[in-house]
Structures are given as C-alpha cells and as structure tokens.
Amino acid sequence: MTRLPALAVSALVTAAVLTPATAHAASPPFTESVFRATHNSYSGDVDGAKSSLTHQLDHGIRFLEFDVHDNGYATTHDYAVGHDSPGDAVDHSGGNPASNNLRDWLTTVNTWSAAHPAAAPIVVMLDLKDDLTDNPSYAAGNLTAVNQELESVFGGRLLRAKDYPAGQPSVDALRGRVLPLLSGDGKSRAEYKRDVGYHPAVTLNGRGQVVEVHDSGAGALWYWTGTYGADGRVTWLRHGKYDSGQTPAVALNDNGDLVEVHQSQSATTLWYHVGKLGADGEITWQASHQYDNGVLPTVAFTDPAGTRLREIHRSQSSSQNWDWDGVLSGTTVSWTGNAKTSDPRFAKATATSGTARVRVWTGADGPTPAQTLRVDTDRVAGDRIRYRQVAFDEFQKGDSAELQQGALFYGAPATESAFITSARQAGKLVRGWDFDSASEATTPLANYPATNHPYDAWYQTLLTGAAE
C-alpha cells in the first residue's frame, strides 16, 4: 500500500469529509466521513498526550475508548476502567472522574453530549478485557448489565445498533447521538450476537411473558426470559445460569410462577425448581428437589389458575412413559399419583397462548454454530435468541466469519493498511488504533484514526476538515 505525505492526505480528507463551513449545507454519509479519535481515551496524559475526556471532546474527538474489567462487579455493581487491570494507566486529573467506575466515565461523556446537541455522533467503545460469558447472571455483570448501563446513562441520546437507520444516514442525521461499540474479548462479542445450547424448551403465558431453558451440553442449565410483542417478535430481557443438569423443561402461569424440571447430568435422577418471574425479566429461583428417577422430563400447568401441574417423563430403562400430578404451593410442588401412562410427553419446544405461538430450536444462521439457539413465532421465523442489540459489535482482523456477519464497525492496528483500505472501500466504519504517525495514513483514511497524540501538528493537519 502506497502511503501519501501528510499534506497530500489532508487534502484528500478535506475534500471527502465535513468542513465546519459546509456542515449543514452538504453533510456527507456517516460511513464516508472521518472523525478525530483517541486510543485508550481514559489514559489522558498518563499514556500519550490526550488530556481529559472533556478536553478531548471540546477539541473534536468523536471516538472514545474505555478498557473495562468485570473484577468486583458483584460488589460495586459496575465495571472498572483500566488497561491491564482496574485503575491501570487511568488519568484521574483534569476533571476526569475520581473513580474507576465505568458509569462515572460514561456520565462524563453524556454530560458533554447533552450540552452539545449539534455535535457529530460520538462513538463510545467498550474494550472488554475480561470474558463476560462466565458471568452467570445480570447481577454478576453479564452482557444484559452492559446494555442496561449504556441505556441508563445515555437515555434518548443512545443510538442502539438495532435502530441504526437503513441506507446511508448522513452525519447531520446522527448529530447529538451516542453510538455504543463492543470490542475486546472475542467470546463475549460472539455471545452478544448469538447464544448456543442444547435441548431448548419454552413456555409462554397469557401476559406474553416467555421463558426458555436449555443445557450447555456440558452440564450447565441456562435460561432466557423475554416478552412476546405486538409485532410477533420475542424481545429477550434476562439471561442466566441456574443449575447443573440436562434436558430441561419449564411451565409458566399468568402470575409469573414457574416450575422447571430436568434430568441430572451424570445420572437418571429427576429434579424440579420453582421460580418467580419478575417484571424486569429476572427469575428468583428456589432450591432444586429430586422427585423421581427417569429421563427426558416434561411439565405443564393443567388448570386456568396455574396451580395444578402434570409431569410426564420416560423410564430410564425402557420406552415406557410415567407421569405425576402436582400442586404448586408457595415455593414447592406436592407430587402425587405416580403411574404409567400411554400419553406422550409434552411438546416442550413449542408453547401457545391464544393465537400466539413460540417455538425454540437450534440451527446455524449463516456462519454461526449449528447449536445456535433460534426462535420462531406465529409471525416471525428464524430469529436468534440473544441479547438485545443495543451496542454495535466490532469485527477485527483475524476474527471469525460470524463476527464479520452484519458488522458495520471494523478495527485493526493502524499498521494494517490493507485491511483498513479494503474495509473502507466496502463502506464500513473503520478504526485504526495506535495511529501515531502520518506515515500510517491510508487512502482512504480510516474513519477513526485512533491516536495517543491528538494535538500533535501532524495529526491536526491530517484531520483538517474532520467532522465535528
């Protein structure tokens, strides 16, 4: 790749991007524009020469990076900013937050954005330094908690990935908005886009509340909760691990009471849980209890009040089915009437309520794994069971095809000129990090040349005319 001198590149950039004088006369497409950007923005003058977040924003920076860790989330109820560890290379001076709590740093950005509604869109990137997929719940800091923090801090200024305008929105159309972006840990970025599991089961009540359960294939039991919407889509709210075992099934009544049954992972014992589904989508689980031996259990409520149950499973030693009658009382079920039955086990992968129907299954969606969790309804087919797509998900050089699928934001070290150029030519928003020399400029230039020295003369010259 031939690199041009700084002044020559500056001329090209100025011709291609927004200039202050013509900002509202001829606003270019967002993906064709170039913006000032910093690398490890939180490090200020500790690493590089960036100054405070407010100073960066005042001087045209429109891409901010925060390295985040989940250490101590259960105690602080927040993520921590830092390079190799919480607090590492963090500059608390110049008006930056005194704490390492991510919420405080995001609030600083939001305060500035609220005061500058005409500013070009700000990208806030969270570089995940830890694997969030091993956080077993919202309370422990899984990706639902990331979504919640972004939405609670930025409110109506947040432009969620799922709401990104079709076509080619202009810079002007996105002024005053904040775009969240996930980078870093590849497992977390992949799980944000899809989940995988085995033996999924689902239940749907008359209030449109949905609970899905599945096993990991390696002994863990997980749940998703959601709501069936007016458009026929399921919006997934919470996700978490609740026990160990396999082949789970679940029943939910209109009061939010649920009963889950499953087989142990290493034996043929059968167990049940009682749970309570909250308005926020979280489930409060009670302890598990063994109620029989067998395999492949299924369960359903059998009365309108949602207190009587029937459970049907298969014998561990033959094809014979057995059943139990149950009565839900408080946090336990009283099981009676165990007997052989010729009735089939309940169809646990499909649930109906009135005209609404939800079916869960596994299957690849393009390059995703064969065990990708999927959902159909009576009006929508083939959706993924996954986190709400609040944040964009960055595709980096060397990532898997499933991370590339549908990605708008691309990223690579500034020295990866071929990757940056190809992605720009494909209409992507491209970040080149550690962009610390004019010699690293490409044609076209990365949309976000993320530097540690944004006030150096070479960078100012190169970014003349960048969108602000």
Side-chain angles (χ1 to χ4, degrees), residues 232-458:
R233 293 186 180 276
V234 177
T235 299
W236 300 100
L237 301 176
R238 293 289 175 92
H239 177 46
K241 179 181 176 182
Y242 66 94
D243 204 347
S244 60
Q246 61 180 322
T247 62
V250 64
L252 176 69
N253 67 21
D254 289 351
N255 295 321
D257 302 308
L258 61 91
V259 175
E260 179 271 353
V261 294
H262 64 271
Q263 177 187 338
S264 62
Q265 176 67 15
S266 58
T268 55
T269 53
L270 298 178
W271 301 74
Y272 82 91
H273 280 278
V274 171
K276 186 71 172 183
L277 177 61
D280 58 1
E282 196 57 79
I283 297 174
T284 301
W285 294 96
Q286 302 300 319
S288 63
H289 303 278
Q290 183 181 353
Y291 66 94
D292 203 353
N293 295 300
V295 296
L296 304 175
T298 60
V299 66
F301 282 104
T302 59
D303 67 323
T307 59
R308 296 189 176 278
L309 297 144
R310 190 180 184 203
E311 186 276 344
I312 306 176
H313 64 269
R314 196 180 76 190
S315 168
Q316 69 271 31
S317 57
S318 72
S319 60
Q320 177 65 53
N321 284 346
W322 291 75
D323 71 350
W324 285 93
D325 294 321
V327 176
L328 175 63
S329 178
T331 60
T332 61
V333 176
S334 298
W335 299 104
T336 59
N338 182 220
K340 294 180 181 179
T341 180
S342 59
D343 292 343
R345 286 172 287 117
F346 296 112
K348 69 173 191 173
T350 301
T352 60
S353 178
T355 60
R357 177 181 57 82
V358 177
R359 180 177 77 95
V360 293
W361 51 289
T362 59
D365 185 12
T368 70
Q371 294 306 129
T372 299
L373 293 167
R374 310 286 295 278
V375 59
D376 298 335
T377 73
D378 51 289
R379 284 185 281 168
V380 178
D383 270 2
R384 301 180 190 183
I385 299 176
R386 63 178 179 179
Y387 294 99
R388 289 185 306 113
Q389 299 298 282
V390 172
F392 296 83
D393 213 334
E394 186 178 62
F395 169 70
Q396 297 181 1
K397 180 178 171 60
D399 280 343
S400 64
E402 65 172 321
L403 281 171
Q404 185 175 17
Q405 184 185 33
L408 175 64
F409 286 86
Y410 279 44
T415 53
E416 295 286 351
S417 56
F419 178 88
I420 291 170
T421 302
S422 175
R424 281 294 326 261
Q425 291 171 343
K428 306 300 181 180
L429 286 161
V430 189
R431 171 178 70 110
W433 68 82
D434 277 333
F435 186 87
D436 290 332
S437 169
S439 66
E440 292 170 339
T442 55
T443 307
L445 188 64
N447 304 87
Y448 298 104
T451 185
N452 295 291
H453 302 278
Y455 315 117
D456 283 4
W458 68 267

